[in-house]
Amino acid sequence: MSQDTAAASTPPMKGMTQHGRFLWRFILFARPFFSSGHKWRNRGWLALIAALTVAQVAVQVGLNSWSARLYNAIEGRHLEAFLGLITTFVLLLLASILVFSITLYAKRRLEFAWRVWITKNTLSVWMAQGRHYQLGLVAGEHGDNPDGRIAEDIRVTTEQAVELGQAAFYCLLLFGTFVTVLWNLSGVIHVEIGGTVIPIPGFMVFVALIYSATGTSLALWAGFPLVAASNLRQTVEANFRFGLARAREYSESIALIGGDTDERTHLQELLRGVRRGWERQTYGLVRIIVFTTAYGVLANPFPLLVAAPRYIMGLISLGTLMQMAQAFSQVTAALAFPVDNLSGLSLWRASVERVMALQDALNGLQEKLGANRIEVQHEGNSLQLAGVRVMEHDATPVMEEITAEIGPGEHVSIEGVTPICHKLILAIAGLWPWGAGKVTLPAGANIFIATDRPYLPVGPLGEAVCYPMTLNACVPDDINSALRRVGLGDWAGHLGAVENWETVFSVAQQQRLSFARMLLHRPDWILLSEATNALEPPAQRQMAELLVKEFPSATIVAVGRVGLFDGFFERVLPVEAVTAAGGIATAKTRVAMPG
């Protein structure tokens, strides 16, 4: 059974238990924000919002009392009292505007501070030690569009938490205040049952409770499937956005290979998923709207219909009748909080669960990566591979066990099936944990890893070349010199140009830029994974000569051919794919022969 189907068929009582557990999990999720370094500022905003909410209820009480006096003045044709009430109304109006305006400002300040805090904490874990890369390799819903969860779901989580929390507190105060007003105004009615007269004080309170309880129960029944539907809608929408972004990112490759039709078919399939999510949510919303519309229309005349007989019989004044009706509306409005906010609550819960799922996945990433781990440590002055064997996520070996040592200043070529060799480079870098054995990296080494598609951030060209260092850490003359030396001299002097460089530069130019970046970073250990596969042989030779000249004492470990002249590599480290029988063999190193 799918998650959304299971949620839709969950019994109401079990569903209420799940709601309670979710609320407790959210409290634990939110508590660190109010205990962080700025806890007093955050608590201050929260306390101010609470105080302003009390003031909002006080304004409503004032308007309710003013309403009774207004209708009594109209009924008694008291012009002087009527004119005085106009002044009172203006004062209440100004107070209402002031209170609600300050409340809005305070809520938005708290919402954004909370969003920034959660976003920074999530980014500090996600964008560190390659977790953003590793998380995408681990199967599970937590890996779906983490960018959308960080950008959109955290926003919804924080904004709706403050909005819904303040609304719930307002309704709680509203109920506690106006239930007392309604009780006092209702008086006592006498009901005769079997010849016995039973006095019922505050009868309108009981009517309001029954009315609200019935409405809330029906609303929860009508809107229960909306939680799963909202979660599904957000997931499919995020998948569609990701598909469009990916098509745009690889538009050149798609166009060159003629993959427009296949890509269009894939996007249309994602759009059909959006439609299914939209229809599922629409069905849930229609159920809610049908009920809430009927509930809202009935709410206004209902208290008048119940209380009007007492006015007709002369037991209460017109002002008391209208005040009672308004108090009844305030009580039922407070009790209708779940009904009025069911759609928002469903959307909020879906976003909260997606954010918590992402954080749980990040916190438990080491456990999810599995038991078969390649140990990586830093000590000594050489790169050592001790019984290293790279595996897939399911612990299936992809290469034979390898044991080797690469000393300072060596030039070593890793030969074998390119994807497997690339995984070995990732394992050395600590990004591919699946496997066995131990990798020892030189302590304190300045390691630079270049791949076939270097990352180029959108922004000034100077920042793209210096990355991940900031532009302030690089000297402009050094950047221009590096660009000239790698064959990108036409771009020297244009360090302030802002572009999406992945679309401006060809793959070959991007690889050249990676070598310019290397010149600025001055590493002593260089790992190359197909870093020149887009360059023509003369350009490959140029990059190899640059490495020899600029980094004469650096260790260079490469996957794929970096240079075409004899003697660049001192030895070759073969990596053999795992045999069909799954045997284990220790790879031997051999001296590279000229040719």
Side-chain angles (χ1 to χ4, degrees):
M1 182 179 291
S2 64
Q3 180 183 1
D4 49 305
T5 304
S9 59
T10 303
M13 289 304 298
K14 186 176 180 180
M16 295 303 294
T17 302
Q18 291 176 350
H19 289 321
R21 291 176 179 174
F22 164 77
L23 185 59
W24 176 246
R25 287 181 59 215
F26 176 74
I27 292 173
L28 296 178
F29 168 80
R31 186 169 58 184
F33 171 68
F34 295 98
S35 303
S36 62
H38 299 288
K39 60 183 180 182
W40 294 115
R41 183 186 64 185
N42 301 333
R43 293 174 183 178
W45 284 116
L46 187 63
L48 177 61
I49 293 171
L52 291 169
T53 303
V54 173
Q56 290 179 4
V57 175
V59 170
Q60 294 301 319
V61 172
L63 288 172
N64 180 259
S65 176
W66 175 86
S67 175
R69 287 181 288 161
L70 174 68
Y71 283 102
N72 284 334
I74 294 174
E75 184 182 32
R77 295 179 172 82
H78 299 149
L79 181 59
E80 184 177 351
F82 176 80
L83 294 176
L85 288 170
I86 295 177
T87 303
T88 303
F89 176 76
V90 171
L91 295 176
L92 288 171
L93 177 62
L94 293 175
S96 178
I97 293 173
L98 180 63
V99 169
F100 279 87
S101 298
I102 298 176
T103 303
L104 175 63
Y105 176 79
K107 287 193 298 183
R108 289 185 64 82
R109 287 295 300 267
L110 180 62
E111 290 165 5
F112 191 73
W114 197 357
R115 177 187 178 184
V116 169
W117 185 84
I118 295 179
T119 301
K120 284 185 175 180
N121 285 339
T122 304
L123 287 175
S124 67
V125 179
W126 180 62
M127 193 59 68
Q129 301 177 358
R131 294 190 186 96
H132 53 94
Y133 172 75
Q134 294 175 338
L135 190 66
L137 300 175
V138 181
E141 291 185 359
H142 56 263
D144 292 344
N145 305 296
D147 52 333
R149 298 181 188 228
I150 294 173
E152 180 65 14
D153 288 316
I154 289 180
R155 181 190 67 80
V156 174
T157 294
T158 53
E159 290 183 2
Q160 290 300 308
V162 175
E163 296 291 340
L164 293 171
Q166 189 267 340
F169 183 56
Y170 174 79
C171 289
L172 181 64
L173 293 177
L174 202 67
F175 174 79
T177 301
F178 279 96
V179 76
T180 303
V181 174
L182 187 60
W183 180 278
N184 294 331
L185 293 176
S186 298
V188 180
I189 64 170
H190 297 82
V191 179
E192 184 176 349
I193 301 177
T196 303
V197 177
I198 301 176
I200 302 178
F203 76 99
M204 286 293 288
V205 173
F206 296 105
V207 174
L209 293 175
I210 295 173
Y211 178 85
S212 298
T214 303
T216 300
S217 299
L218 292 175
L220 291 175
W221 169 81
F224 198 74
L226 196 58
V227 174
S230 296
N231 201 350
L232 176 64
R233 173 78 186 278
Q234 287 178 291
T235 299
V236 296
E237 290 283 4
N239 290 339
F240 185 52
R241 289 194 302 268
F242 178 78
L244 290 171
R246 184 173 176 81
R248 180 185 49 127
E249 180 180 359
Y250 293 95
S251 58
E252 179 180 327
S253 300
I254 295 171
L256 290 174
I257 204 172
D260 304 72
T261 301
D262 290 340
E263 195 64 26
R264 184 169 61 251
T265 300
H266 173 64
L267 292 174
Q268 288 174 348
E269 178 61 30
L270 291 176
L271 184 59
R272 282 190 285 272
V274 171
R275 179 176 181 177
R276 287 191 294 270
W278 180 84
E279 289 176 345
R280 192 69 167 275
Q281 190 182 45
T282 300
Y283 168 73
L285 289 172
V286 167
R287 286 172 52 131
I288 291 295
I289 293 300
V290 168
F291 175 77
T292 54
T293 300
Y295 186 88
V297 171
L298 183 61
N300 290 325
F302 184 79
L304 289 174
L305 295 175
V306 175
R310 300 193 70 205
Y311 171 71
I312 294 173
M313 291 185 294
L315 299 177
I316 57 176
S317 65
L318 178 61
T320 301
L321 174 64
M322 299 308 296
Q323 186 180 12
M324 189 186 305
Q326 290 183 5
F328 182 95
S329 297
Q330 296 286 17
V331 170
T332 55
L335 293 173
F337 172 80
V339 178
D340 296 339
N341 296 278
L342 194 57
S343 177
L345 285 166
S346 301
L347 177 63
W348 171 69
R349 176 172 177 175
S351 292
V352 172
E353 288 180 337
R354 286 169 59 82
V355 173
M356 289 194 295
L358 176 60
Q359 293 195 344
D360 290 344
L362 289 171
N363 294 333
L365 183 59
Q366 297 304 313
E367 179 180 351
K368 291 180 180 295
L369 290 176
N372 298 308
R373 305 292 300 280
I374 298 175
E375 181 184 355
V376 179
Q377 65 178 25
H378 296 76
E379 66 179 22
N381 63 349
S382 63
L383 170 59
Q384 301 177 28
L385 306 177
V388 173
R389 198 181 198 202
V390 176
M391 302 178 182
E392 295 290 359
H393 311 148
D394 59 359
T396 301
V398 298
M399 59 173 279
E400 302 286 5
E401 182 182 304
I402 185 172
T403 297
E405 181 174 358
I406 301 174
E410 284 194 85
H411 293 182
V412 179
S413 174
I414 298 178
E415 291 187 357
V417 179
T418 300
I420 296 177
C421 293
H422 181 65
K423 285 186 175 68
L424 179 59
I425 292 293
L426 293 175
I428 293 173
L431 295 178
W432 190 273
W434 296 280
K438 178 180 178 182
V439 174
T440 302
L441 294 168
N446 181 11
I447 301 175
F448 188 96
I449 302 176
T451 64
D452 58 337
R453 290 296 298 270
Y455 173 68
L456 304 180
V458 177
L461 175 60
E463 290 186 359
V465 181
C466 290
Y467 186 86
M469 295 189 301
T470 62
L471 186 57
N472 295 332
C474 300
V475 179
D477 290 343
D478 292 343
I479 301 176
N480 289 324
S481 175
L483 290 173
R484 294 188 185 97
R485 301 187 69 180
V486 300
L488 295 176
D490 292 343
W491 290 95
H494 299 279
L495 304 184
V498 177
E499 296 285 353
N500 181 0
W501 299 108
E502 289 187 353
T503 61
V504 173
F505 288 143
S506 66
V507 177
Q509 288 176 313
Q510 293 178 36
Q511 292 183 354
R512 288 178 180 272
L513 188 144
S514 181
F515 279 83
R517 187 180 287 170
M518 194 184 304
L519 293 175
L520 297 174
H521 284 255
R522 309 305 302 178
D524 47 29
W525 283 76
I526 302 172
L527 306 181
L528 306 175
S529 180
E530 293 292 317
T532 60
N533 61 1
L535 299 177
E536 296 294 330
Q540 288 185 333
R541 183 181 181 90
Q542 178 189 6
M543 295 301 105
E545 292 175 344
L546 183 66
L547 290 178
V548 172
K549 182 178 180 180
E550 290 292 330
F551 307 99
S553 61
T555 304
I556 301 176
V557 181
V559 174
R561 294 188 65 80
V562 178
L564 299 179
F565 60 89
D566 300 340
F568 181 82
F569 292 115
E570 300 168 359
R571 61 187 173 120
V572 174
L573 185 64
V575 174
E576 300 177 5
V578 69
T579 63
I584 299 177
T586 302
K588 306 296 184 181
T589 62
R590 60 182 173 86
V591 177
M593 300 299 294

